Amino acid sequence: MGAYILRRLLLMIPTIVGIMAISFAVIQFAPGGPVEQVIADLTGQNQGSDRLSGGGGDLAGGAFNDETSSKYRGAQGLDPDFIAKLEKQFGFDKPPLERFGQMMWDYIRFDFGESFFRNTSVIDLILDKMPVSISLGLWILLFSYVISIPLGIKKAISDGSSFDVWTSGIIIVGYAVPGFLFGILLIVLFAGGSFLDWFPLRGIVSDNFAQLSWWQKILDYFWHMTLPLLTLLLSAFATTTLLTKNSFIDEIKKQYVTTARAKGLNERQVLYGHVFRNAMLIIIASFPSAFISAFFTGSLLIEYIFSLDGLGRLGYDAVVKRDYPIVFATLYIFSLMGLLVGLLSDLIYTWVDPRIDFERREV
């Protein structure tokens, strides 16, 4: 197992480099880069923008003349020296390969540089947004698995019964309703909309959180998290429940289950002594994607609806504003975590089913 883990860790290096290289290449051809963003601000194309506060603001006094620069859209009439200063400030005065090599060398040391437009280091921004993403992702993973696995097992055992039918109806409706729409409904009903005003709409804690006692802090935290978690849990538990049910049904129909029953084992021994380990393998296989979705990608709309400032919102804003240090840093961190969680899933495989031996398989 040690050799397998080492091989997987070594394979992460070219995988990460490949992901970053493809993304970096695509970015080179994407219109509206940071230089063009500053030019648009200076020429009035971005009304009311604050993008110059941390990036090109110190260059706002650049001179205008009648010379034309065709390299960037909207740069007609701007001094070429001013454009060159912008390129140097954002690092675009160097060849792409040199910029990519320097970026990867910095990222290996977890040096993500500074944001183009926020006037602060990228790592500080990520750490600042991390509590929101951890709060949403950790609880959603925990609640969805705690609810979905027992419910899926119960549905598999009672397949076709009235319990299975009405719970399937609820699950299908929950899966079909978009999470953001359900979130809006919760706001209307319980967060100062047209009916009740029971829950807050902004942040994960109150402004006076530091002055509260420890038990009041716990209550305040969950008071803020109730509606966002309910919104995310709706679709998360539906998917895992159906996956668990179908996996258990497939295993129950296999020959080894019939053999176990013929040996005189009761249903509980058959279910949890034989079926459970095999049926859980597919649930474990889906864990990496569920982890990444819960922590980062799946909560973007929820963060906007409930005014939560997490990593999903940070990454989206960075893409819109072409804040490349944040874009590449979040991509690097997400990819690295996804690969590590994938390795963890394989290790859990061997724990759940010791018959699996990755040492004897080609990576």
Side-chain angles (χ1 to χ4, degrees):
M1 182 56 68
Y4 172 76
I5 294 175
L6 180 60
R7 289 198 301 269
R8 285 289 298 269
L9 291 175
L10 291 176
L11 279 174
M12 290 181 188
I13 298 175
T15 303
I16 286 288
V17 173
I19 293 173
M20 300 301 295
I22 294 173
S23 303
F24 187 86
V26 171
I27 287 295
Q28 304 310 304
F29 299 100
V35 175
E36 289 178 299
Q37 296 284 348
V38 174
I39 292 173
D41 286 329
L42 291 176
T43 56
Q45 298 178 44
N46 287 339
Q47 299 295 330
S49 175
D50 60 352
R51 293 187 179 120
L52 295 179
S53 60
D58 57 326
L59 300 173
F64 289 76
N65 62 20
D66 293 331
E67 296 185 36
T68 301
S69 174
S70 59
K71 185 176 181 180
Y72 300 104
R73 293 184 300 176
Q76 291 80 6
L78 289 179
D79 190 342
D81 292 337
F82 171 68
I83 301 297
K85 290 180 181 179
L86 277 178
E87 290 180 333
K88 184 176 182 180
Q89 178 170 334
F90 292 123
F92 293 110
D93 58 327
K94 301 175 182 177
L97 286 178
E98 182 180 347
R99 285 189 282 121
F100 177 74
Q102 183 62 50
M103 180 184 72
M104 292 307 302
W105 172 246
D106 291 337
Y107 282 13
I108 290 173
R109 296 175 290 128
F110 288 91
D111 178 8
F112 301 113
E114 289 196 358
S115 166
F116 282 163
F117 304 113
R118 292 177 181 252
N119 199 28
T120 186
S121 69
V122 174
I123 192 64
D124 287 342
L125 283 171
I126 292 176
L127 292 176
D128 182 58
K129 313 302 181 186
M130 192 70 77
V132 172
S133 295
I134 290 177
S135 294
L136 292 174
L138 183 63
W139 291 116
I140 286 301
L141 277 178
L142 178 62
F143 287 147
S144 64
Y145 277 82
V146 167
I147 295 174
S148 301
I149 292 177
L151 180 59
I153 295 174
K154 176 64 176 177
K155 287 175 62 62
I157 296 174
S158 56
D159 185 37
S161 66
S162 58
F163 172 82
D164 180 45
V165 172
W166 69 261
T167 53
S168 294
I170 295 176
I171 290 172
I172 292 173
V173 171
Y175 185 78
V177 175
F180 73 90
L181 186 61
F182 185 63
I184 294 174
L185 175 63
L186 291 178
I187 291 174
V188 171
L189 294 177
F190 303 111
S194 303
F195 297 92
L196 305 173
D197 189 10
W198 287 354
F199 298 96
L201 271 178
R202 185 178 298 276
I204 59 175
V205 293
S206 300
D207 294 335
N208 64 334
F209 184 78
Q211 285 74 45
L212 300 177
S213 62
W214 67 269
W215 64 269
Q216 289 176 323
K217 289 181 178 180
I218 295 175
L219 291 177
D220 181 77
Y221 171 77
F222 282 105
W223 181 48
H224 282 76
M225 295 300 297
T226 297
L227 297 188
L229 289 179
L230 284 176
T231 304
L232 287 171
L233 188 62
L234 183 68
S235 59
F237 100 92
T239 303
T240 311
T241 299
L242 293 178
L243 187 62
T244 303
K245 175 192 173 183
N246 294 332
S247 178
F248 269 80
I249 288 178
D250 289 341
E251 292 297 323
I252 289 173
K253 295 178 180 178
K254 292 183 178 179
Q255 182 62 42
Y256 74 89
V257 176
T258 304
T259 303
R261 287 170 176 164
K263 290 181 178 179
L265 298 179
N266 59 44
E267 285 300 310
R268 184 176 184 84
Q269 290 173 322
V270 171
L271 186 63
Y272 293 102
H274 294 76
V275 175
F276 184 82
R277 291 191 304 175
N278 296 327
M280 287 302 297
L281 291 178
I282 191 172
I283 308 301
I284 297 171
S286 67
F287 182 76
S289 60
F291 177 86
I292 296 298
S293 176
F295 271 83
F296 306 113
T297 58
S299 60
L300 173 59
L301 288 175
I302 306 305
E303 289 179 13
Y304 267 99
I305 292 173
F306 292 99
S307 300
L308 301 174
D309 201 5
L311 288 177
R313 187 170 181 177
L314 174 68
Y316 174 77
D317 289 340
V319 171
V320 172
K321 297 178 180 179
R322 303 300 193 270
D323 200 338
Y324 292 155
I326 297 179
V327 173
F328 286 121
T330 52
L331 175 63
Y332 180 82
I333 293 174
F334 295 172
S335 301
L336 183 60
M337 292 187 67
L339 292 172
L340 290 174
V341 172
L343 175 58
L344 178 62
S345 295
D346 286 349
L347 298 179
I348 296 176
Y349 276 155
T350 62
W351 175 68
V352 173
D353 191 347
R355 295 172 300 174
I356 299 177
D357 187 1
F358 290 106
E359 290 283 2
R360 298 180 181 177
R361 300 178 59 185
E362 293 293 333
V363 180

